[in-house]
Every structure is written in C-alpha cells, then in structure tokens.
Amino acid sequence: MFVLSPPRSGSTLLRVLLNSHSRLHSPHETHFRRITVRFTTEPAAQAMEAAGHNLADVEHLLWDRLLHRELALSGKEFLVEKTPSNVFVWERLATCWPDARFVFLIRHPYAIARSWHEGSPAERPMEEAVRHTHEYMRILEEARQHLPGHTVRYEELTADPEAATHALCAHLGIPWEPAMTEYGRHDHGDFTKGIGDWTDKIKSGSVQPGRPLPRPDEVPEALRPMARAWGYLDSPSATGGN
C-alpha cells in the first residue's frame, strides 16, 4: 500500500496510526525510488535485454525486494510506504505493483505551504514554499484522477482519528483496531529528520488537535485553484485543522 501526499500533510501521523494495526507495517520513509540501477558494461545491458528486462524493470525488482524484506522483518501481513516524493513516480508504482492499494492524503494547500516554510524559515521563504509544495499537490491530484484509492483529509484525521481510520480500514478490507488511535503505546522507530516528521508534536504519542484553517483571504493566488479543487474554498463543509 502507498500513501501519496505532499510534505507537511500529516503523513507521519497517518503512518504511526496505521503501523499501530496488528496487520499493517508502515516504516519510516524508505526513499526507495532514489535507489537506482545502472548497467556498467555493454554485456550486462545485452544480458538484461536478452532476459527481457530494461533498466526500469531491474530497478523495480530491486525496489520490490527491498520492501519485501522490510515487510518480512516486521512479521506483519501488509506494508504501507509513505515517502512524499513517491507522488512523482505514481505511474511507476502502479506499473511495478499493479495490485497495490493507494491512499491519498490531502490537507489545506496553504497550511501545507506554511508548515513547510515554518520548518526552516530562513532556507524556505514563503514564496518558495508555495511553489515547492504546489508541485507536489499538482502531481498528487493527477494521481488521484488516474488511480483508484481512498482519500484521507488531514483535518478530519486530527479531528476524529477513530472515524478516519475506521473508513480507511473499511476501504482496505481489514478490521479496525482500537490500538490505531493509541500510537504512543507502540514502537515506531526513531522520529528522525529526513525520513519523516521529527517534531515534538508527533513525539507526544497522541493525536493533537489542529489549528483553525487559514482564512480565504490568506490563501495565495497560486494555491487558490488547488484549495478550491480540494474543497477548502467556497465549500461550507471545510473543517478546522492544524
């Protein structure tokens, strides 16, 4: 299973909730797509071609083996991978794992950009934060239009984690477990910068209530179409979140 999301949209929170299920293993971000293969000699390329493999095929074999090993070591049944940059290779994910299940995690676009900016204000000016996160959102929406899957809204996840995880488990066809909302009682590995959220909020061990949504007049023009497409503008059902 793959959680596709922009950065700073709550993917680590969703990961630990899922990882608290007895049948689901959701590790820290593996960044497996950054692990590449190359043929160092012409005979190697010739041999792979004769076997019916191109370079992408061999990378897929490597990726699958890495994730299979991760799952096998966990002793659980299903693996859930959530590296945000996976959105940029959603087509390859669907090709490599045609039976994969997809979960789309969305959040108010301006809240995403603001959170990414606040993570390192000096290095990430707001203008760059808007541009950077919008690219993730644009590709994520493209994936949502082409792949079957279940959408989780971050604001709903933080407001009512039990209801949100119930709906997700129903989509995945597995029973919901109360332990999912008590992630602080389980071992999820270290919360380390670079492979997931590392802030005090996620380390608290419980789902924290969110902040109010940005006001409509706060949303930059560049993010307004996405905010509208995701139901955060001109939508009476938009709810509060972090």
PDB file of all heavy atoms in Angstrom, residues 64-78:
ATOM      1  N   ASP A  64      11.168  -3.859  -5.194  1.00  0.00           N
ATOM      2  CA  ASP A  64      10.255  -4.846  -4.631  1.00  0.00           C
ATOM      3  C   ASP A  64      10.947  -5.704  -3.583  1.00  0.00           C
ATOM      4  O   ASP A  64      10.374  -6.022  -2.534  1.00  0.00           O
ATOM      5  CB  ASP A  64       9.696  -5.724  -5.750  1.00  0.00           C
ATOM      6  CG  ASP A  64       8.643  -6.697  -5.242  1.00  0.00           C
ATOM      7  OD1 ASP A  64       7.594  -6.239  -4.751  1.00  0.00           O
ATOM      8  OD2 ASP A  64       8.885  -7.912  -5.310  1.00  0.00           O
ATOM      9  N   ARG A  65      12.187  -6.073  -3.848  1.00  0.00           N
ATOM     10  CA  ARG A  65      12.928  -6.903  -2.893  1.00  0.00           C
ATOM     11  C   ARG A  65      13.185  -6.147  -1.595  1.00  0.00           C
ATOM     12  O   ARG A  65      13.055  -6.704  -0.495  1.00  0.00           O
ATOM     13  CB  ARG A  65      14.259  -7.352  -3.518  1.00  0.00           C
ATOM     14  CG  ARG A  65      15.104  -8.227  -2.604  1.00  0.00           C
ATOM     15  CD  ARG A  65      14.361  -9.471  -2.171  1.00  0.00           C
ATOM     16  NE  ARG A  65      15.136 -10.234  -1.177  1.00  0.00           N
ATOM     17  CZ  ARG A  65      14.598 -10.968  -0.229  1.00  0.00           C
ATOM     18  NH1 ARG A  65      13.281 -11.079  -0.119  1.00  0.00           N
ATOM     19  NH2 ARG A  65      15.359 -11.622   0.628  1.00  0.00           N
ATOM     20  N   LEU A  66      13.534  -4.863  -1.708  1.00  0.00           N
ATOM     21  CA  LEU A  66      13.789  -4.063  -0.512  1.00  0.00           C
ATOM     22  C   LEU A  66      12.540  -3.941   0.358  1.00  0.00           C
ATOM     23  O   LEU A  66      12.598  -4.109   1.583  1.00  0.00           O
ATOM     24  CB  LEU A  66      14.291  -2.674  -0.910  1.00  0.00           C
ATOM     25  CG  LEU A  66      15.720  -2.590  -1.449  1.00  0.00           C
ATOM     26  CD1 LEU A  66      15.986  -1.210  -2.041  1.00  0.00           C
ATOM     27  CD2 LEU A  66      16.727  -2.902  -0.351  1.00  0.00           C
ATOM     28  N   LEU A  67      11.403  -3.658  -0.274  1.00  0.00           N
ATOM     29  CA  LEU A  67      10.175  -3.506   0.501  1.00  0.00           C
ATOM     30  C   LEU A  67       9.701  -4.857   1.038  1.00  0.00           C
ATOM     31  O   LEU A  67       9.153  -4.924   2.149  1.00  0.00           O
ATOM     32  CB  LEU A  67       9.086  -2.853  -0.356  1.00  0.00           C
ATOM     33  CG  LEU A  67       9.360  -1.410  -0.797  1.00  0.00           C
ATOM     34  CD1 LEU A  67       8.106  -0.801  -1.416  1.00  0.00           C
ATOM     35  CD2 LEU A  67       9.859  -0.538   0.350  1.00  0.00           C
ATOM     36  N   HIS A  68       9.916  -5.931   0.265  1.00  0.00           N
ATOM     37  CA  HIS A  68       9.543  -7.255   0.748  1.00  0.00           C
ATOM     38  C   HIS A  68      10.349  -7.618   1.998  1.00  0.00           C
ATOM     39  O   HIS A  68       9.813  -8.179   2.967  1.00  0.00           O
ATOM     40  CB  HIS A  68       9.784  -8.306  -0.338  1.00  0.00           C
ATOM     41  CG  HIS A  68       9.457  -9.705   0.105  1.00  0.00           C
ATOM     42  ND1 HIS A  68      10.399 -10.551   0.668  1.00  0.00           N
ATOM     43  CD2 HIS A  68       8.292 -10.405   0.108  1.00  0.00           C
ATOM     44  CE1 HIS A  68       9.835 -11.695   0.979  1.00  0.00           C
ATOM     45  NE2 HIS A  68       8.568 -11.639   0.648  1.00  0.00           N
ATOM     46  N   ARG A  69      11.639  -7.300   1.975  1.00  0.00           N
ATOM     47  CA  ARG A  69      12.473  -7.592   3.142  1.00  0.00           C
ATOM     48  C   ARG A  69      11.998  -6.793   4.354  1.00  0.00           C
ATOM     49  O   ARG A  69      11.954  -7.315   5.476  1.00  0.00           O
ATOM     50  CB  ARG A  69      13.936  -7.263   2.840  1.00  0.00           C
ATOM     51  CG  ARG A  69      14.902  -7.584   3.985  1.00  0.00           C
ATOM     52  CD  ARG A  69      16.338  -7.301   3.597  1.00  0.00           C
ATOM     53  NE  ARG A  69      17.266  -7.689   4.660  1.00  0.00           N
ATOM     54  CZ  ARG A  69      17.578  -6.905   5.696  1.00  0.00           C
ATOM     55  NH1 ARG A  69      17.041  -5.699   5.808  1.00  0.00           N
ATOM     56  NH2 ARG A  69      18.425  -7.332   6.627  1.00  0.00           N
ATOM     57  N   GLU A  70      11.651  -5.532   4.141  1.00  0.00           N
ATOM     58  CA  GLU A  70      11.147  -4.694   5.224  1.00  0.00           C
ATOM     59  C   GLU A  70       9.893  -5.309   5.833  1.00  0.00           C
ATOM     60  O   GLU A  70       9.745  -5.381   7.062  1.00  0.00           O
ATOM     61  CB  GLU A  70      10.843  -3.292   4.694  1.00  0.00           C
ATOM     62  CG  GLU A  70      10.263  -2.324   5.699  1.00  0.00           C
ATOM     63  CD  GLU A  70      11.239  -1.949   6.800  1.00  0.00           C
ATOM     64  OE1 GLU A  70      12.456  -1.856   6.526  1.00  0.00           O
ATOM     65  OE2 GLU A  70      10.781  -1.740   7.942  1.00  0.00           O
ATOM     66  N   LEU A  71       8.997  -5.787   4.993  1.00  0.00           N
ATOM     67  CA  LEU A  71       7.768  -6.396   5.483  1.00  0.00           C
ATOM     68  C   LEU A  71       8.054  -7.709   6.200  1.00  0.00           C
ATOM     69  O   LEU A  71       7.508  -7.972   7.279  1.00  0.00           O
ATOM     70  CB  LEU A  71       6.807  -6.637   4.315  1.00  0.00           C
ATOM     71  CG  LEU A  71       5.489  -7.331   4.665  1.00  0.00           C
ATOM     72  CD1 LEU A  71       4.687  -6.504   5.676  1.00  0.00           C
ATOM     73  CD2 LEU A  71       4.663  -7.574   3.402  1.00  0.00           C
ATOM     74  N   ALA A  72       8.914  -8.538   5.615  1.00  0.00           N
ATOM     75  CA  ALA A  72       9.219  -9.837   6.215  1.00  0.00           C
ATOM     76  C   ALA A  72       9.807  -9.682   7.612  1.00  0.00           C
ATOM     77  O   ALA A  72       9.470 -10.434   8.535  1.00  0.00           O
ATOM     78  CB  ALA A  72      10.171 -10.618   5.314  1.00  0.00           C
ATOM     79  N   LEU A  73      10.683  -8.706   7.793  1.00  0.00           N
ATOM     80  CA  LEU A  73      11.300  -8.496   9.097  1.00  0.00           C
ATOM     81  C   LEU A  73      10.287  -8.031  10.137  1.00  0.00           C
ATOM     82  O   LEU A  73      10.471  -8.249  11.335  1.00  0.00           O
ATOM     83  CB  LEU A  73      12.432  -7.469   8.980  1.00  0.00           C
ATOM     84  CG  LEU A  73      13.689  -7.935   8.239  1.00  0.00           C
ATOM     85  CD1 LEU A  73      14.659  -6.771   8.057  1.00  0.00           C
ATOM     86  CD2 LEU A  73      14.365  -9.073   8.994  1.00  0.00           C
ATOM     87  N   SER A  74       9.220  -7.388   9.685  1.00  0.00           N
ATOM     88  CA  SER A  74       8.214  -6.880  10.626  1.00  0.00           C
ATOM     89  C   SER A  74       7.325  -7.997  11.174  1.00  0.00           C
ATOM     90  O   SER A  74       6.732  -7.852  12.246  1.00  0.00           O
ATOM     91  CB  SER A  74       7.333  -5.834   9.944  1.00  0.00           C
ATOM     92  OG  SER A  74       6.399  -6.448   9.049  1.00  0.00           O
ATOM     93  N   GLY A  75       7.171  -9.069  10.411  1.00  0.00           N
ATOM     94  CA  GLY A  75       6.289 -10.150  10.827  1.00  0.00           C
ATOM     95  C   GLY A  75       4.823  -9.862  10.575  1.00  0.00           C
ATOM     96  O   GLY A  75       3.951 -10.641  10.991  1.00  0.00           O
ATOM     97  N   LYS A  76       4.510  -8.769   9.890  1.00  0.00           N
ATOM     98  CA  LYS A  76       3.117  -8.413   9.605  1.00  0.00           C
ATOM     99  C   LYS A  76       2.736  -8.825   8.184  1.00  0.00           C
ATOM    100  O   LYS A  76       3.549  -9.371   7.441  1.00  0.00           O
ATOM    101  CB  LYS A  76       2.894  -6.921   9.844  1.00  0.00           C
ATOM    102  CG  LYS A  76       3.050  -6.502  11.304  1.00  0.00           C
ATOM    103  CD  LYS A  76       2.652  -5.046  11.504  1.00  0.00           C
ATOM    104  CE  LYS A  76       2.740  -4.616  12.963  1.00  0.00           C
ATOM    105  NZ  LYS A  76       2.297  -3.210  13.153  1.00  0.00           N
ATOM    106  N   GLU A  77       1.479  -8.534   7.816  1.00  0.00           N
ATOM    107  CA  GLU A  77       0.961  -9.004   6.528  1.00  0.00           C
ATOM    108  C   GLU A  77       1.097  -7.998   5.390  1.00  0.00           C
ATOM    109  O   GLU A  77       1.304  -8.387   4.241  1.00  0.00           O
ATOM    110  CB  GLU A  77      -0.517  -9.374   6.669  1.00  0.00           C
ATOM    111  CG  GLU A  77      -0.797 -10.542   7.582  1.00  0.00           C
ATOM    112  CD  GLU A  77      -2.289 -10.798   7.688  1.00  0.00           C
ATOM    113  OE1 GLU A  77      -2.907 -11.165   6.665  1.00  0.00           O
ATOM    114  OE2 GLU A  77      -2.844 -10.604   8.794  1.00  0.00           O
ATOM    115  N   PHE A  78       0.919  -6.721   5.701  1.00  0.00           N
ATOM    116  CA  PHE A  78       0.864  -5.709   4.653  1.00  0.00           C
ATOM    117  C   PHE A  78       1.821  -4.567   4.955  1.00  0.00           C
ATOM    118  O   PHE A  78       1.937  -4.133   6.105  1.00  0.00           O
ATOM    119  CB  PHE A  78      -0.555  -5.144   4.513  1.00  0.00           C
ATOM    120  CG  PHE A  78      -1.600  -6.191   4.275  1.00  0.00           C
ATOM    121  CD1 PHE A  78      -2.474  -6.549   5.292  1.00  0.00           C
ATOM    122  CD2 PHE A  78      -1.699  -6.837   3.051  1.00  0.00           C
ATOM    123  CE1 PHE A  78      -3.449  -7.516   5.090  1.00  0.00           C
ATOM    124  CE2 PHE A  78      -2.670  -7.811   2.839  1.00  0.00           C
ATOM    125  CZ  PHE A  78      -3.551  -8.149   3.857  1.00  0.00           C
TER     126      PHE A  78
END
